[in-house]
Amino acid sequence: MDPEIGLITYHNAYNFGSVLQAYATQQTLNKLGHTNEIINYQTKSQTEIYQQDIRFKDGIKTFLYSLKFLPYWNQRKIRRDKFRKFISTYLNVSQIIVTTYEEVKNKVPKYPILMSGSDQIWNSACGEFRHESSDAILPYFLNFGNPQKRIALSSSIGERDLNYIKNFSKYLKEFDFLSSREPLGCKYISEVSQKDVTLVSDPTWFLTKDEWDILKINKNTKKPFIFIYTIGFWNKPFKSIIEPVIELARRNNWDIINVSPVFCIDIKGIKCPQDVGPLDFLYYIKNAELVISNTFHGTIFPALFERPFISYNAYLGSRQQQILNLIGLDNQIVMTPGDLFRTLKTNLYIPKTSERIGELRERSFEYLKLCLS
């Protein structure tokens, strides 16, 4: 039987949050009884930024930096293999691969319902569009096919402003149902589209802790550990927090495990594995004594699993700040090394989030049921 829903999202980015939110979306649609498949849209830029460690197109400085990955070549291959296995095992993806807007229009089969998924699919500043033509983003606005319904599910503009999203007003007005995962995104999209926009959770929160436990992995972590997860932010602000973190680990005889998928970090006394896949990421989050991250999914996964966490440098209006505000956890945001040092000297706070996340999950389900009724 042909699938009812064609879903388009960042499913093939070798990025933990991207593949895990795609998995959660499909699991939720399956649970609600709607057949679906992911439209296999992969921009060439997405492949380059996430799957090719040696970078040729981003200037000599980036190229020289990327050479740091060479000593870890075998580990990085294991990482890529883990992502490929996760995508082939857990995601239902269409067989036809399309890489341009023209191919999407001409080759993607007809679906009764088109759905744009979550992640920052409406943010043209993402790496997926770095070396692409301006129309590469249009498939994510569902500007193709002739479906009975166009639905946006938790689609995000990142931290772009109202003037930016005005550029896509004519496409947004074609949607039958609109939702986003950030309050500011909902506000801007509603103003531009002149439609109601529902605030829903990120799809990773569509699943409960128990439902995520189905994806099990056993790792050999001999000691308790702090888990640090960063993307593209290993610069002076983030380096400055290492001293208090190392002190906390030394005081408790903990390890420090740092993962930065597209940056090669190598710091004495810190474990920096280069072979980490999506299931490893879940293991580290669920078992860490403390998670420190400046990323969106590095913030919301420990909140879901109720693990002690710190969202570092999540400024006012950031995606992390908006989502933490929804569940009353703004106090987990730390902006300076001094504040971090003071936080780590006290008992680490274990958040109790199941009730508030559960309320947001139910609101999201009601939206989905309305869209698909």
Side-chain angles (χ1 to χ4, degrees), residues 31-85:
K31 186 162 55 175
L32 293 176
H34 296 276
T35 59
N36 63 93
E37 70 178 8
I38 293 174
I39 296 168
N40 205 348
Y41 179 45
Q42 309 173 23
T43 64
K44 292 179 181 178
S45 293
Q46 181 187 82
T47 301
E48 289 163 2
I49 193 171
Y50 287 111
Q51 299 179 29
Q52 297 177 6
D53 293 331
I54 308 303
R55 307 267 286 282
F56 298 98
K57 289 187 177 182
D58 296 320
I60 187 65
K61 187 176 180 180
T62 300
F63 168 71
L64 292 175
Y65 179 89
S66 71
L67 296 178
K68 291 184 178 182
F69 280 122
L70 287 176
Y72 307 102
W73 193 260
N74 289 336
Q75 287 190 56
R76 298 294 289 182
K77 182 181 183 302
I78 292 171
R79 169 186 176 271
R80 291 190 290 272
D81 290 344
K82 287 179 177 179
F83 270 94
R84 291 188 187 103
K85 183 177 180 180

Side-chain angles (χ1 to χ4, degrees), residues 159-171:
E159 289 149 20
R160 305 303 291 267
D161 60 17
L162 178 62
N163 287 331
Y164 164 78
I165 200 62
K166 283 180 179 177
N167 296 316
F168 304 100
S169 60
K170 69 177 181 179
Y171 308 118

Side-chain angles (χ1 to χ4, degrees), residues 100-117:
T100 66
Y101 176 45
E102 285 302 314
E103 288 183 344
V104 170
K105 289 192 294 183
N106 296 325
K107 295 183 178 181
V108 169
K110 307 301 181 185
Y111 298 94
I113 297 173
L114 286 177
M115 180 178 290
S116 65

Side-chain angles (χ1 to χ4, degrees), residues 121-214:
I121 59 170
W122 289 348
N123 180 4
S124 61
C126 286
E128 278 75 5
F129 310 112
R130 182 168 295 175
H131 302 294
E132 304 298 322
S133 59
S134 60
D135 63 6
I137 198 171
L138 296 185
Y140 296 106
F141 285 97
L142 306 185
N143 190 38
F144 62 94
N146 186 28
Q148 299 167 20
K149 290 182 183 179
R150 288 181 169 89
I151 300 169
L153 180 62
S154 193
S155 305
S156 174
I157 64 172
E159 289 149 20
R160 305 303 291 267
D161 60 17
L162 178 62
N163 287 331
Y164 164 78
I165 200 62
K166 283 180 179 177
N167 296 316
F168 304 100
S169 60
K170 69 177 181 179
Y171 308 118
L172 292 169
K173 289 177 181 178
E174 294 299 315
F175 277 78
D176 298 284
F177 297 93
L178 285 164
S179 70
S180 189
R181 68 186 188 188
E182 292 104 9
L184 280 176
C186 290
K187 178 183 176 182
Y188 296 153
I189 295 166
S190 179
E191 187 169 336
V192 166
S193 66
Q194 299 178 343
K195 292 174 176 282
D196 291 334
V197 181
T198 303
L199 175 67
V200 300
S201 78
D202 184 84
T204 56
W205 282 2
F206 290 177
L207 304 184
T208 65
K209 288 187 292 184
D210 290 342
E211 287 172 314
W212 279 111
D213 278 341
I214 294 171

Side-chain angles (χ1 to χ4, degrees), residues 310-311 313-315 320-321 324 329-335:
I310 289 170
S311 187
N313 215 24
Y315 55 87
Q320 298 95 301
Q321 186 274 331
L324 291 178
L329 285 180
D330 298 67
N331 59 331
Q332 299 307 112
I333 296 173
V334 173
M335 294 300 294

Side-chain angles (χ1 to χ4, degrees), residues 4 28-29 31-34 113 115 149 151 153 177 200 206 361-373:
E4 176 188 9
T28 301
L29 292 173
K31 186 162 55 175
L32 293 176
H34 296 276
I113 297 173
M115 180 178 290
K149 290 182 183 179
I151 300 169
L153 180 62
F177 297 93
V200 300
F206 290 177
R361 182 184 297 121
E362 286 303 312
R363 185 192 311 169
S364 305
F365 281 179
E366 290 305 311
Y367 168 79
L368 254 181
K369 290 173 184 176
L370 175 65
C371 294
L372 298 171
S373 62

